[in-house]
Amino acid sequence: MKCGPVGALAASLLTLTLAAQIRAQPAQDYRGRLPADEIIYFLLPDRFENGDTSNDRGGLQGGRLVTGFDPTAKGFYHGGDLKGLISRLDYIQSLGATAVWLGPIFKNKAVQGAPGHESAGYHGYWITDFTHVDPHFGSDADMHALAQAVHARGMKLYLDIVTNHTADVIRYRECPESDCPYRSRADYPYTRRGGIGGEPINPGFLGDAAPYQTAENFAKLTRPDYAYTPFVPAGEEHLKVPDWLNDPIYYHNRGNSTFHGESSTMGDFFGLDDVFTENPRVVQGFIDIFGAWIDQYAIDGFRIDTEQHVNPEFWQRFVPAMQARAAAKGIPHFHIFGEVYTEDFNPAQLARHTRVDGLPAVLDFGFALAVRATVAGSTGTDRLAELFADDALYEGGAPAAQQLPTFISNHDMGRFGYFVRKGWPLATEDEVLRRVTLGYAMLMTLRGVPVIYYGDEQGIAGSGGDQDARQDMFASRTATYNAERLVGTPSTMAQSKFGTQHPLYQSLAALAALRSANAALRGGEQLVRAYARTPGIFAVSRLRANNNSGANNNSEVVVAFNTSLQAIDVLIEVDPRSAHFHALHGSCAEAASAPGSYRVQLAALDFIVCAGSP
Ligand SMILES: [Ca+2]
Ligand SMILES: [Ca+2]
Ligand SMILES: [Ca+2]
């Protein structure tokens, strides 16, 4: 019945050998890897490692409401920076990650919010200067050093970018508290000031619809006061960089989004200034901004924040421009994946953004919810089968779904350990650890590009989403974090957490090594082999993609999971040519039971990875 961590410990020697081999590869090899070959490690620079205490206040003088620095408050800067990250790249690479997805590092408005409700831009999503690194995180020179260090290891660097909004700088005369309700295009047309009874303005402007997104039409939009009267507060007239971003004409100025209807793309995200992304001047502005980051730092890909709040035509121009910019820089497989955050994460809604917007990939929220339902909940494994059947919806179909970044924890929803404890409140700590291990086993072996959320490998679970899922890897001074119970260790959040002995670190490293060594697990076609209406068996075959992999790679790799608390003993269908099997993880039957049939025996919450051969 022993499973997970013990098996992983046995595999850890193999892991370290493979990790050393991966590190020994010539660094330029990384450029040849496809997006699906990567294992992504997602971290928030403020919360990862503090390599330089002299930048903790971002060069600002004063209290926390000026500098944004308060390591005791979860909504403020804690001191992490790029130098700290550079010092921990060995830790990340030893885990088996091949790419780092860095939370936004652009200069932010340090503190925002109404009196008594202030918080800081530690998360990086309140950008004022799109062209420089936030001084809390270091300097542009530190960014160069980071990009160089990552690439020298043969790893890739993905930036988290925002084009939907900037920091909250613009205010409206009608409601200075930033709580203005959304005013629609019908009620407040562009051609009247403050509603249909108002004075005529912007004569000849035909609006923002796709056929009219031309420089000629937008030259007629000269007044931004059709819905509200926007203004930039005194002293902040040139806060944003590049300077064109300071002109209210380049914003929608229609009040706060309700996240429904037209306000989804035109409304302010909780007061954050919503950019007029239909205007070709704005499109070119963002192409220039983010193209320069590719040019200067040889960035390998972008994660796009709040993607669904920007009009499709913007992406139809922006995405090819970024791919061309990267290709010109010698980066052939630049990856772009959008955050499409919807109410139920229906794959149809996610896939729409690959078909209409032309995004190469979106973050697979559907995967996160399916694993949560089946492993942190008690939904039948048919939930997973349904998810993968819908891969047909993505532009390019199932092969394109191979490059969707998958995850089970993130900075907004929360960590998988939290969901397990919430879903199984009576579970023993051993069961919680097994469930988190099983969830990560699915992430590392099923189709998609695995994204490991920093700190999960140390057993960080947290108490919720957002600020409650953004803990410090360095010794925390935040009381709520320090009161948390970690999974799989008696350590506390008050200690630095960069050891490599945690059972989840060991399991993840073993799985990462397995994935990196096996082409079928990275980009192989996935056939769902077995599932049930109840918790229990879920099995797939990964079939090796046609490539020039070594002779000892098998054509079929069977991966089987048991999501139930009972042992299972079942037959699953396999390729009739797979007569023999050897174990890549766990205990695998050595031969098929008959051509096309394979016996799977699994302890509670266990999994196996078995490579077939003729
Ligand atoms: Ca620092
Ligand atoms: Ca605003
Ligand atoms: Ca928008």
Side-chain angles (χ1 to χ4, degrees):
M1 290 292 288
K2 272 288 184 185
C3 64
V6 173
L9 277 173
S12 65
L13 286 176
L14 172 70
T15 304
L16 295 175
T17 311
L18 284 167
Q21 282 170 0
I22 291 162
R23 272 200 295 278
Q25 284 176 1
Q28 65 267 27
D29 282 356
Y30 75 91
R31 288 267 169 91
R33 290 199 307 261
L34 297 171
D37 289 333
E38 309 300 337
I39 295 168
I40 302 171
Y41 189 83
F42 168 34
L43 62 89
L44 301 178
D46 182 58
R47 302 295 161 91
F48 197 63
E49 181 62 303
N50 192 348
D52 181 357
T53 55
S54 75
N55 61 22
D56 288 355
R57 289 170 177 77
L60 300 165
Q61 309 286 328
R64 66 179 215 146
L65 295 183
V66 176
T67 67
F69 179 67
D70 181 357
T72 68
K74 59 190 178 180
F76 283 74
Y77 286 98
H78 286 187
D81 50 41
L82 301 183
K83 276 186 187 151
L85 170 56
I86 292 169
S87 75
R88 295 299 185 182
L89 286 176
D90 208 45
Y91 167 86
I92 296 171
Q93 191 168 31
S94 296
L95 182 63
T98 64
V100 174
W101 156 12
L102 196 54
I105 41 75
F106 314 100
K107 187 175 180 185
N108 267 231
K109 192 164 191 179
V111 178
Q112 266 185 205
H117 300 279
E118 300 93 344
S119 67
Y122 72 94
H123 42 69
Y125 295 104
W126 298 342
I127 303 169
T128 54
D129 183 347
F130 287 78
T131 66
H132 291 106
V133 169
D134 192 294
H136 292 87
F137 301 150
S139 63
D140 293 354
D142 292 341
M143 186 65 199
H144 275 288
L146 173 66
Q148 202 164 38
V150 166
H151 290 148
R153 290 170 175 271
M155 299 173 75
K156 292 183 180 176
L157 185 60
Y158 294 157
L159 290 192
D160 200 324
I161 69 166
V162 191
T163 70
N164 178 61
H165 55 258
T166 69
D168 181 7
V169 175
I170 295 172
R171 297 294 159 92
Y172 307 130
R173 298 280 177 210
E174 291 80 358
C175 42
E177 301 291 315
S178 275
D179 56 354
C180 317
Y182 186 76
R183 291 184 167 177
S184 74
R185 286 176 294 199
D187 289 339
Y188 294 87
Y190 292 110
T191 49
R192 293 288 185 276
R193 183 173 189 280
I196 54 170
E199 68 173 289
I201 56 173
N202 300 318
F205 181 60
L206 296 173
D208 56 67
Y212 307 126
Q213 293 173 9
T214 63
E216 185 190 18
N217 183 43
F218 273 89
K220 294 171 186 158
L221 180 70
T222 57
R223 293 269 301 260
D225 53 347
Y226 35 83
Y228 286 103
T229 311
F231 71 99
V232 175
E236 298 192 322
E237 293 88 347
H238 296 284
L239 184 65
K240 294 178 189 174
V241 181
D243 198 45
W244 63 267
L245 283 164
N246 293 299
D247 187 341
I249 203 71
Y250 296 120
Y251 296 82
H252 287 127
N253 302 311
R254 290 186 174 278
N256 279 337
S257 179
T258 65
F259 304 104
H260 290 282
E262 71 171 55
S263 84
S264 176
T265 55
M266 312 285 289
D268 294 333
F269 194 95
F270 302 105
L272 297 169
D273 305 347
D274 198 70
V275 189
F276 210 137
T277 46
E278 291 82 358
N279 186 334
R281 170 69 186 89
V282 170
V283 180
Q284 190 58 47
F286 278 121
I287 288 174
D288 293 343
I289 287 168
F290 292 114
W293 284 86
I294 297 173
D295 290 347
Q296 290 169 26
Y297 302 99
I299 298 304
D300 302 287
F302 290 151
R303 177 266 189 186
I304 295 171
D305 185 61
T306 46
E307 192 275 344
Q308 84 273 27
H309 299 308
V310 175
N311 55 302
E313 303 81 17
F314 177 90
W315 302 121
Q316 290 161 10
R317 288 190 55 197
F318 182 82
V319 167
M322 292 301 101
Q323 289 169 327
R325 197 79 165 243
K329 181 79 181 171
I331 303 163
H333 303 301
F334 192 81
H335 201 24
I336 299 179
F337 49 100
E339 176 209 25
V340 178
Y341 204 98
T342 63
E343 269 175 24
D344 61 357
F345 302 111
N346 182 328
Q349 291 177 309
L350 299 175
R352 185 190 308 159
H353 296 267
T354 67
R355 286 195 175 263
V356 179
D357 301 3
L359 281 201
V362 292
L363 280 160
D364 195 351
F365 280 91
F367 181 91
L369 263 66
V371 176
R372 192 189 306 169
T374 54
V375 180
S378 52
T379 301
T381 56
D382 52 355
R383 179 82 172 71
L384 289 158
E386 282 166 21
L387 172 84
F388 296 124
D390 282 343
D391 282 354
L393 298 173
Y394 290 94
E395 180 69 33
Q402 300 275 2
Q403 58 180 2
L404 303 180
T406 48
F407 61 95
I408 58 174
S409 296
N410 81 1
H411 59 317
D412 289 327
M413 297 176 130
R415 297 177 183 271
F416 201 69
Y418 161 71
F419 292 117
V420 168
R421 284 185 176 147
K422 195 174 157 197
W424 296 90
L426 302 179
T428 63
E429 278 303 292
D430 179 61
E431 182 183 334
V432 172
L433 175 59
R434 287 185 187 203
R435 287 186 183 275
V436 176
T437 304
L438 187 66
Y440 264 106
M442 288 183 174
L443 181 80
M444 300 298 285
T445 58
L446 295 173
R447 75 99 178 95
V449 191
V451 179
I452 300 167
Y453 185 47
Y454 83 98
D456 272 25
E457 76 279 7
Q458 297 293 341
I460 301 178
S463 56
D466 200 272
Q467 293 177 2
D468 292 325
R470 300 173 179 182
Q471 295 89 343
D472 305 305
M473 285 289 281
F474 47 88
S476 184
R477 293 172 55 195
T478 306
T480 53
Y481 294 158
N482 291 348
E484 290 176 10
R485 192 168 33 121
L486 281 72
V487 176
T489 174
S491 297
T492 74
M493 296 297 298
Q495 297 165 273
S496 178
K497 294 163 285 295
F498 288 100
T500 58
Q501 297 310 308
H502 190 286
L504 283 166
Y505 187 101
Q506 296 277 323
S507 303
L508 270 165
L511 286 161
L514 199 59
R515 182 181 173 94
S516 287
N518 198 302
L521 292 177
R522 295 200 301 278
E525 180 188 351
Q526 175 174 292
L527 284 181
V528 173
R529 296 295 197 183
Y531 54 92
R533 289 203 177 99
T534 55
I537 183 75
F538 183 71
V540 303
S541 290
R542 301 296 306 271
L543 306 174
R544 179 161 57 92
N546 275 332
N547 60 21
N548 57 359
S549 305
N552 59 356
N553 265 326
N554 295 289
S555 58
E556 180 178 30
V557 175
V558 171
V559 191
F561 310 88
N562 179 5
T563 66
S564 77
L565 290 167
Q566 289 81 42
I568 55 175
D569 184 345
V570 295
L571 293 169
I572 67 166
E573 189 183 8
V574 293
D575 188 316
R577 294 169 300 174
S578 297
H580 301 93
F581 288 86
H582 74 270
L584 299 176
H585 175 89
S587 178
C588 301
E590 289 181 2
S593 301
S597 181
Y598 185 62
R599 186 175 182 191
V600 168
Q601 293 174 293
L602 280 167
L605 303 175
D606 204 358
F607 68 99
I608 52 174
V609 185
C610 313
S613 58

